[in-house]
Each structure stands twice: as structure tokens, then as C-alpha cells.
Amino acid sequence: MIDFKNIRKSFGEREVLKGITFSVPEGQILFILGTSGTGKSVLLKTIVGLLKPSSGEVFINDREISCLSEREMFPVRRMCGMVFQQPALFDSLSIFENVAFGLRKHQPELDHAQLSARVKECLALVNLSGIEDKLPQAISYGMQKRVSLARTVAVSPRILLFDEPTTGLDPVTTNSINHLILELSRKLKTTSLVVSHDMQCALDIADHILVLDKGEIVAQGPPQTLKQSTHPLVQDFLREALNAETAH
Amino acid sequence: MTATLSDFFVYSTRTFKALFQPPFRSKDTFQQLEFVTWQSLPVIVFCVSFAAMVTIMESSFHMKLMVQNDSLVPGFASLLILRELGVVVSSLLLTSRVGAGLAAEVGSMQVTEQVDALRMLGIDPIRFLVIPRLIACTVGGVILSLIANLVCLYCAMLISELKLGYSSGSFLTGMRAFVSYKDLVFAMIKGGCFGTVIPIVSCFFGLRCESGAEGVGKATTNSVVVASVAIIVMDFVLTYIFSHFY
Ligand SMILES: Nc1ncnc2c1ncn2[C@@H]1O[C@H](COP(=O)(O)OP(=O)(O)OP(=O)(O)O)[C@@H](O)[C@H]1O
Ligand SMILES: [Mg+2]
């Protein structure tokens, strides 16, 4: 359960988030849509304390986290997994070591065989195998992005934050990743927050959609409600989704 | 400016605290030490040799001009080399080589969200990234200042034999009249202090790097400028402190 209460965030003079309030019940999928630069990534980072809000409160499972120190945040972050907008793979480590990195830290009891099996399993989830020994620089951007997804999923977080997980990927992979998000949420009851530009996909798999514009929520609700929205930005997104559908 | 200074103060305090908290990443530290010391050695040896030769030639030229005698050159030059030249030149070279590299490395990790990814896994970027580099640079600074000074003195001796006609014996006698082992020890302490400043400043600018290639460039430039200025100022302070021990 994530509760966001009147969150504001400024960088210097500039206010990026202007009083955001929403909540996500456990096991649900929330899609956050918005144009570039509206503060979606900032919003996601505020949830796990990578950025501190200027004012307002963030509750994760009824615990206020925005005032916690870096050390106190550790158990909270342990529950959360974040797929960053950039692949953010550690470039001095191989793909295997990248995926194993969090596992070694969170589950030190795993022996080498178990670790290696888990890494392979996670890479297979994102349709990658046989690249364990390569360095991140040696694989394509889309593959890096998928490895970063595998790395996050590997530690079985209870809350998953995805920052544009499918941007820059081909339609087939996009589909399989959306499917993966849905499956994690339905089977393992993982709470997911997905930042995306893809209204079609949001309508398909989200339980709740939130549309941000210039740091403010302009529309929110389940897909059915959102379809009725008259806000011009939401209309634009809906038209885009409709076009994509008819093009198929 | 004040905000930056207070950030720097908080960051440095955290860094020194983290220095004494396990786990110690010895493998990474040794890798960094190799990068800092062994890989910087050629350029440092090359540059300080020339600095030593210029010092000898210049002081001999001016001594001859003023007092028609350059017999004090070996002593004076050794003093200058041991107290200032060897350690300052090598530390400034280390700043441009290692400091710039560190700022760019940590800065690009920051802008590509790798630092955030570390924090998400409950890993403190200071302990993970800064501490191994801090230890490596401090130890490297001590080692490099020792080597740089010895190379400097050797080159000075060589050039005074070849150009000024002092045998190595008379060079050493002249040197011993002016310097003592204390000078070498103080030089190594200076080397260690300068070596500490470089990674602290570089990682500070790296960790607060703004996004984009421009951000990384700015972080690199700032770190080199600030570390160089800090080294020059610290050199003055340390020289003043050490002057009470002669
Ligand atoms: N660390 C920071 N310091 C200063 N400004 C920042 C910082 N992070 C983000 N911003 C600013 O906040 C605004 C929102 O950024 P954010 O990255 O959240 O956008 P976004 O909605 O994720 O856009 P995109 O779809 O392009 O990723 C931007 O204008 C950006 O310049
Ligand atoms: Mg973003």
C-alpha cells in the first residue's frame, strides 16, 4: 500500500511536483502518464526516498518514509524494486554479476548453483539468455534495459516501480514485458507503479491510471472512468491509443 | 556557495565516518591503488625529472650571475626539491590524471542512475565508491611522493655532474648540509594529505553531477580546479606547520 499525501518537490526556484495526492492498494497496477518533463521520474524517486519531497508525506504500508535517514530507508527499499529510465547497469560488472548483485546482498545464503539458476531464470523472463558473460557496453540498449528489469525482479520485491520500462523496445518485447508486469501483479500480488507514454497498454493492464501535467494530476481513475475524461491532454493520449489500435 | 560548502562539510564527515565501517572492499581498493600509483608513475617520473633539471640549471645560472659561484646549488636545489617541488608537482599531476578521471567516472555513474541503483540496493555510494578510492589515493600519494623525490634528487645529481661538474660525492655532501631525513618524511606526509584531498573533492563533484555530458564536463573541470587550489593552499599551511619542527 502506497499513500502519497500532498507531495511538493522543488529544485531551487522551480517547483516540479505541485501537491500530488494518490494511493495504490496492495497488488494493484498504477499507470502514470504524462508528457516529457512533467515530473514522472521525480515522482517515482520520491516514493523510495531517492529524492526527498520539499513538503508532504509518503506512506509505504502505513509507515511515513520521507523523514527517514538513508540507513533507516534500507528495509523499505529492500521491499521495493525500481527499474530506472536508463538501464543503469554497473558497467564494470558482467551481465551475470549485475543481476546477481542484489541477490548477493539480499540473500547471502544462496550458494553458487542457486544463484546462477536464479540469474538464468530472471534473464529468461525477459527473453535473454546466453549473454551472462558479456559486459553491459557489449549489448544493445534494448537488451540493457531488459537486463535492468531482470536485475530488479531478481530480488522479488513487493513493490515494483517501473520508469518507462518499454520505451525504445520493439513491439514484441514491449508486449512480453507488459505481460510480465501483469503476471507479477496477479500471481505474486506485487504492487506496481508504471511510468509510461503508452495509453493503450495502460488501458489494457492498469487498475488505476493517473495523468500528470506540469507537476499536477489532471485526471485519475480506473481505465473505464478515464476514457470519459474531457481534459485535452487525456483526450490526446486517448486519441493516440485509438490511432495505434486502428493501425494494427 | 554557502550551500555547497555545507554540503561538502556533511559529505566529508560522512566519508571519514565510513572509513572506519566494514565491509572493507580490499579487492577494489588494490585495483584503485594500482591505477593511482603504478599507472601514474611514468608520467610523474618523466615530469619531475625535467622539473629537477630545470631547477638545477636555473639556480646555477643565477648564482653564477650574482655571486660568481654556484657551489651552494646542490644544497639549495635539494632543499627545494624535497620540501616543495617533488611532492607538489607530483600531486598536481595526480590531480589532473586521477582526479579528473574519478570525477568523470563517478559523475557518469550519477547521471546514468547507477548511483541511484546502488542506493536502491541498500549500498551507500560513499562506502562503495569513495572509500576504496580515498584509501588508494592516500597510500598512492605517500608512495608517489617518495618515489618522485628520489627520482628528482637523482636527476638533480646527474645534471649537476654533467653540466656543473660536481661529482656525485660532492653533490651528496652539499645536500646533506641542507636537508635531513625529516624533509623526506614531511614530504611523504604532504603527499598523503594531498592524496586524500583529490578523491574527496573529485567524488564530491561527481556525486552531485547534473545530467548530460555537459554536467559531467563541468564536474570534471570543477574537481580539478578545486583540488589544485586546495593542494596549493594546504601546501602553504603544512609548510607553515612543519616549519616549527626544524
Ligand atoms: N536532480 C534534479 N535537479 C534539478 N532539476 C531536476 C532534477 N531532476 C529532475 N529535474 C527537473 O524536473 C523536471 C521533471 O523531470 P523528470 O525527470 O521527472 O521528467 P519526466 O516526466 O520523467 O520526463 P521524461 O518523460 O522525459 O523522462 C525536469 O524539468 C527536470 O529538469
Ligand atoms: Mg523520466
Side-chain angles (χ1 to χ4, degrees), chain A residues 52-197:
Chain A
K52 295 268 176 230
S54 311
S55 72
E57 291 168 312
V58 185
F59 291 90
I60 294 186
N61 295 340
D62 298 321
R63 178 146 186 233
E64 215 283 307
I65 59 115
S66 60
C67 55
L68 297 186
S69 73
E70 198 72 9
R71 187 179 290 265
E72 292 165 328
M73 270 312 284
F74 180 49
V76 179
R77 288 196 185 135
R78 208 185 152 129
M79 289 191 302
C80 305
M82 179 152 178
V83 178
F84 292 91
Q85 189 164 357
Q86 300 174 62
L89 299 179
F90 305 122
D91 31 44
S92 55
L93 302 179
S94 69
I95 301 300
F96 180 91
E97 286 303 327
N98 261 289
V99 181
F101 197 88
L103 282 172
R104 285 193 208 280
K105 170 94 186 160
H106 289 341
Q107 285 156 272
E109 71 281 0
L110 293 185
D111 64 26
H112 186 77
Q114 288 168 316
L115 193 75
S116 149
R118 179 75 184 139
V119 169
K120 288 215 168 75
E121 182 191 354
C122 292
L123 285 171
L125 275 182
V126 292
N127 302 331
L128 288 174
S129 36
I131 56 155
E132 287 89 345
D133 298 329
K134 291 202 164 81
L135 283 173
Q137 302 87 296
I139 61 175
S140 77
Y141 176 81
M143 288 162 99
Q144 291 181 19
K145 198 102 200 215
R146 283 185 276 159
V147 173
S148 117
L149 209 117
R151 173 178 72 180
T152 308
V153 173
V155 290
S156 329
R158 302 297 310 137
I159 296 170
L160 271 167
L161 311 169
F162 300 91
D163 199 345
E164 306 193 16
T166 56
T167 307
L169 299 184
D170 62 277
V172 180
T173 317
T174 301
N175 248 332
S176 75
I177 287 183
N178 287 332
H179 188 75
L180 177 69
I181 296 173
L182 190 64
E183 204 177 73
L184 287 170
S185 153
R186 296 294 174 263
K187 280 197 189 144
L188 303 175
K189 284 261 163 232
T190 311
T191 312
S192 306
L193 275 78
V194 188
V195 165
S196 169
H197 295 135

Side-chain angles (χ1 to χ4, degrees), chain B residues 66-103:
Chain B
M66 299 304 291
V67 290
Q68 285 77 43
N69 182 336
D70 65 358
S71 60
L72 290 178
V73 164
F76 268 136
S78 321
L79 190 71
L80 182 64
I81 287 171
L82 271 180
R83 293 218 178 148
E84 293 300 324
L85 200 67
V87 61
V88 173
V89 170
S90 58
S91 300
L92 289 178
L93 286 168
L94 205 60
T95 309
S96 51
R97 186 178 172 272
V98 175
L102 283 187

Side-chain angles (χ1 to χ4, degrees), chain A residues 9-12 14-17 34-45 51 85 163-164 195-197 212, chain B residues 110 113 209-211:
Chain A
K9 173 73 188 170
S10 313
F11 292 105
R14 227 176 121 233
E15 192 164 50
V16 176
L17 299 180
T35 48
S36 200
T38 49
K40 304 183 299 295
S41 301
V42 171
L43 176 71
L44 226 49
K45 286 186 184 176
L51 291 173
Q85 189 164 357
D163 199 345
E164 306 193 16
V195 165
S196 169
H197 295 135
L212 272 188
Chain B
Q110 172 66 38
E113 303 181 307
C209 178
E210 285 163 20
S211 61

Side-chain angles (χ1 to χ4, degrees), chain B residues 134-170:
Chain B
L134 176 65
I135 297 175
C137 281
T138 308
V139 176
V142 175
I143 298 176
L144 285 172
S145 75
L146 174 67
I147 297 176
N149 275 312
L150 295 182
V151 169
C152 250
L153 288 177
Y154 182 74
C155 286
M157 193 169 79
L158 215 60
I159 200 81
S160 36
E161 182 159 356
L162 293 178
K163 289 297 269 184
L164 312 182
Y166 294 107
S167 70
S168 32
S170 59

Side-chain angles (χ1 to χ4, degrees), chain A residues 45 48-50 70 74 77 84-86 88-91 101-102 105, chain B residues 14 21 109 111-114 116-123 127-128:
Chain A
K45 286 186 184 176
V48 283
L50 292 175
E70 198 72 9
F74 180 49
R77 288 196 185 135
F84 292 91
Q85 189 164 357
Q86 300 174 62
L89 299 179
F90 305 122
D91 31 44
F101 197 88
K105 170 94 186 160
Chain B
R14 276 184 59 200
Q21 292 164 347
M109 286 187 79
V111 300
T112 56
E113 303 181 307
Q114 288 179 55
D116 284 338
L118 282 177
R119 290 171 62 197
M120 273 309 287
L121 289 168
I123 292 167
R127 216 178 309 164
F128 190 81

